[in-house]
Amino acid sequence: MEPAGLSEQDLRDVVEIEQLLARYASAMTRTSIDEVMAVFTADGTYSAFGETYTLSDFPALVEAAPDGLFLCGTPAIDLDGDEATGTQPLCFVAQEDHHLRIGWYTDQYRRTEAGWRLASRSMTFLRRSGARDSGRPHDPTRPTPGGDA
């Protein structure tokens, strides 16, 4: 029996996207840059810190990130043929001091010859103050798009 509104193909697509996102979280936790990049389309982007990064920026961006656990919740996914959108909650726990970063990803997915991939992922952080933002653009340790540190 299929859930209301979801075909068998929709269910397969949702499971494939969920597995894609699980690979992202696992690869980020293990700092496996090649595996992180593999879940994105060739023209994929990641947005945070007031900037949008392309795949060529990912090695420096991941290198600058603190080590820790990327714990992601079940994504909410809206399918539309060979494209989809979604949101996914995130709780990042820094390895060194166990400080938390919480928020959510807003995603665009695209079906490719290799299967579903992230076309774009953007981060919104939830702050203790109640603010919601994309990060600290003034952080001097983060790289800027295009490879400038």
Side-chain angles (χ1 to χ4, degrees), residues 1-77:
M1 179 175 197
E2 298 171 2
L6 290 179
S7 69
E8 190 173 315
Q9 180 60 51
D10 289 344
L11 291 172
R12 283 194 297 269
D13 290 341
V14 166
V15 169
E16 184 178 342
I17 292 170
E18 287 176 340
Q19 288 299 299
L20 177 81
L21 299 177
R23 286 192 300 276
Y24 173 88
S26 178
M28 286 296 293
T29 297
R30 293 180 288 108
T31 317
S32 177
I33 187 60
D34 290 337
E35 290 180 57
V36 171
M37 292 172 64
V39 304
F40 283 85
T41 59
D43 62 347
T45 61
Y46 173 77
S47 299
F49 317 113
E51 304 281 3
T52 298
Y53 299 89
T54 64
L55 284 184
S56 64
D57 299 314
F58 280 29
L61 188 60
V62 172
E63 178 68 27
D67 290 336
L69 174 65
F70 282 75
L71 184 59
C72 296
T74 302
I77 300 167

